[in-house]
Amino acid sequence: MNKPQSRQPKLFNEIFAGLLANKLTGFLLICIFASALGVVQVTYLSRQQVIQQDKLLQQRDELDLQWRYLLVEEEFYSQHARIEEVATTQLEMKRPTSKDEQVVVLP
């Protein structure tokens, strides 16, 4: 069993020496490794961007829902009957009678 372990470093050295002997093969091997690392990096970054996009879309949907609630609330508070009710109950306002009206004539 000692022989296969002693042969592995020799085999590795022979492969490495063979790669160094042919510079084009070594260069292409380095390019393959660099390309593989680039693919991994780009895949990781694109997945991060997709996750960020999903979060932003969810936030947009929540803001859109909140905006719709605010529009409904604004419509409720802007109704004439509601305004008149608040004016009479909270502000104690009343409609002027004909006795309270004054006509101003401009010269």
Side-chain angles (χ1 to χ4, degrees):
M1 288 199 172
N2 289 340
K3 287 188 176 184
Q5 288 178 351
S6 65
R7 291 182 79 192
Q8 284 182 346
K10 289 182 182 179
L11 181 61
F12 177 75
N13 289 338
E14 288 181 30
I15 292 172
F16 190 69
L19 289 175
L20 291 178
N22 191 348
K23 292 182 182 180
L24 178 62
T25 306
F27 175 74
L28 290 176
L29 184 64
I30 291 171
C31 288
I32 288 171
F33 283 130
S35 174
L37 290 175
V39 167
V40 169
Q41 182 68 19
V42 168
T43 303
Y44 173 76
L45 291 175
S46 66
R47 285 183 181 166
Q48 293 299 320
Q49 292 293 322
V50 168
I51 291 169
Q52 181 68 19
Q53 181 185 17
D54 287 343
K55 287 179 183 177
L56 290 173
L57 288 174
Q58 184 179 8
Q59 183 181 11
R60 183 195 67 182
D61 291 342
E62 291 172 2
L63 288 172
D64 186 50
L65 184 62
Q66 185 179 7
W67 172 250
R68 289 174 192 256
Y69 284 138
L70 288 173
L71 287 177
V72 169
E73 186 177 356
E74 179 186 27
E75 183 179 335
F76 172 75
Y77 284 120
S78 66
Q79 292 176 354
H80 180 69
R82 173 74 179 146
I83 293 172
E84 189 171 347
E85 177 190 345
V86 169
T88 56
T89 57
Q90 293 179 1
L91 301 176
E92 299 177 0
M93 298 175 78
K94 61 180 183 175
R95 289 194 174 274
T97 61
S98 58
K99 291 185 279 183
D100 296 333
E101 291 180 5
Q102 293 183 356
V103 179
V104 177
V105 180
L106 294 175

